[in-house]
């Protein structure tokens, strides 16, 4: 029986592991992999204490920091997917995809979020065959080509900005008339002659033979269907929390985020805390995820000792 199992090895989960081990809670961290979402970033400029760091180096540093505490108070279980969480009378049980079960007094859910997938005819079929969810990872493969970016938030505009450095043209397609991105980002990019914008568009279909060759959308104002030739589609339409296993166990909001008390990060169920991007916290960043996790560990430490 562990005192605490941490689910997820991003900034939140790793931060929690370091703090829990230092407080000598009998802890395990279970994760698919260490690093979290920004692992794909070319450069991160706001990870405090490092003016510039690549996503992969950040991931490797996080893992290194957890490994430093691996021992009697921290077990590291990597390469495992959590599939089920169940609340028993006096403890919590965790199941993983490989069929293992772990028992613990408390858990901290730090499983973050994943990219929301494009819902359009053939979108699945062309994933990695022209449809991609990461401009910084896959962008250079589309140098000198005409590409599309789907999504009018900061992520969409930032991806477009990156792609404009080497693509022939970048057209950003957005479902409404108003962009959700910061005004300063939008203004900067609109001046670029290689950049075009299509608003009020509903994506209908992606076509091609082996690889993407076109995208068809409906103009929501005129109702007309239009087809654009393209070889690359970069999707930036938001995130969905990785919380399927927590549904029916703790209270979650309408988009699947775990509802927590912002003072302590505790969920609706005693013994279950959550931190980082999987929660209903208003803002999500690497530093915030770690802060949430540290706050949770302070609370978990007191709770575990009270419930000995
Ligand atoms: C492309 C990109 C760039 C970004 N750039 C920045 C930036 O420059 N600065 C910044 O502050 N923020 C940035 N962010 C946001 C930042 O990455 C997130 O806020 C942060 O990663 C959240 O951390 P987290 O630990 O809550 O979750 P995540 O980073 O999502 O980590 C979740 C962890 O849980 C694991 N996991 C998920 N589900 C399961 C499961 N069922 N079983 C086992 N393990 C599981 C995952 O493998 C992962 O290790 C960026 C995000 C993206 C997508």
């Amino acid at each position: 029986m562990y005192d605490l199992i941490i689910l997820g090895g991003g900034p939140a989960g790793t931060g929690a592991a370091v703090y829990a081990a230092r407080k000598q809670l009998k802890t395990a961290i279970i994760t698919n992999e260490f690093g979290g979402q920004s692992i794909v970033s070319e450069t991160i400029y706001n990870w405090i204490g490092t003016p510039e760091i690549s996503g992969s180096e950040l991931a490797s540093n996080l893992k290194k920091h957890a490994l430093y505490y691996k021992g009697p108070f921290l077990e590291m279980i990597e390469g495992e997917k959590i599939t089920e969480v169940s609340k028993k009378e006096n403890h919590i049980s965790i199941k993983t995809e490989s069929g293992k079960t772990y028992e613990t007094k408390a858990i901290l859910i730090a499983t973050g979020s994943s990219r929301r997938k494009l819902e359009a005819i053939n979108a699945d079929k062309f994933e990695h065959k022209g449809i991609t969810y990461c401009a910084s990872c896959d962008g250079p493969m589309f140098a000198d080509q005409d590409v599309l970016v789907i999504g009018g938030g900061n992520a969409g505009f930032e991806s477009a900005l990156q792609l404009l450095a080497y693509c022939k043209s970048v057209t950003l397609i957005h479902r409404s008339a108003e962009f959700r991105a910061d005004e300063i980002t939008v203004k900067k990019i609109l001046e670029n002659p290689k950049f075009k914008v299509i608003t009020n568009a509903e994506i209908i279909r992606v076509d091609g033979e082996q690889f993407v060759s076109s995208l068809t959308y409906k103009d929501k104002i005129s109702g007309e269907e239009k087809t654009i030739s393209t070889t690359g589609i970069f999707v930036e339409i938001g995130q969905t929390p990785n919380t399927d296993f927590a549904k029916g166990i703790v209270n979650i909001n309408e988009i699947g985020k775990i509802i927590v008390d912002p003072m302590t990060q505790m969920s609706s169920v005693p013994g279950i805390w959550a931190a980082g991007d999987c929660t209903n916290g208003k803002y999500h960043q690497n530093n915030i995820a770690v802060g949430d996790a540290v706050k949770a560990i302070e609370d978990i430490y007191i709770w575990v000792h009270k419930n000995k």
Side-chain angles (χ1 to χ4, degrees), residues 8 11-12 32-33 36-37 41 46 80 82 111-112 115 276-277 285-286:
N32 281 330
E33 59 173 2
Q37 291 160 59
S41 285
N46 54 11
E80 277 277 36
I82 295 121
T111 43
R115 302 296 177 91
D277 282 23
Q285 284 280 280
N286 285 317

Side-chain angles (χ1 to χ4, degrees), residues 74-129:
L74 181 63
E75 191 176 334
M76 289 168 70
I77 303 157
E78 198 179 354
E80 277 277 36
K81 182 177 179 193
I82 295 121
T83 50
E84 202 180 306
V85 168
S86 48
K87 176 91 172 93
K88 311 288 178 194
E89 202 174 325
N90 286 320
H91 72 281
I92 295 154
S93 180
I94 311 274
K95 277 197 184 139
T96 62
E97 204 166 52
S98 69
K100 295 204 179 92
T101 303
Y102 301 87
E103 314 289 341
T104 177
K105 292 176 192 163
I107 64 168
L108 173 69
I109 304 175
T111 43
S113 59
S114 311
R115 302 296 177 91
R116 183 168 293 138
K117 296 284 170 119
L118 178 66
E119 286 182 21
I121 298 164
N122 296 334
D124 280 0
K125 183 175 150 192
F126 288 110
E127 193 167 329
H128 306 303
K129 291 176 179 164

Side-chain angles (χ1 to χ4, degrees), residues 216-238:
T216 301
Y217 69 94
K218 183 165 133 189
D219 183 322
K220 290 207 248 176
I221 308 289
S222 67
E224 201 184 332
E225 279 197 12
K226 297 180 180 173
T227 298
I228 320 175
S229 294
T230 185
T231 46
I233 301 172
F234 294 83
V235 184
E236 288 292 353
I237 53 174

Side-chain angles (χ1 to χ4, degrees), residues 8-14 29 31-41 44 54-63 78 110-115 137 239 242 277 286 289:
T14 313
I29 178 167
T31 185
N32 281 330
E33 59 173 2
F34 280 90
Q37 291 160 59
S38 52
I39 197 168
V40 296
S41 285
I44 296 165
S54 71
S56 58
E57 199 184 347
L58 170 65
S60 128
N61 285 352
L62 289 175
K63 184 168 171 180
E78 198 179 354
T111 43
S113 59
S114 311
R115 302 296 177 91
C137 323
Q239 307 280 115
N242 301 318
D277 282 23
N286 285 317

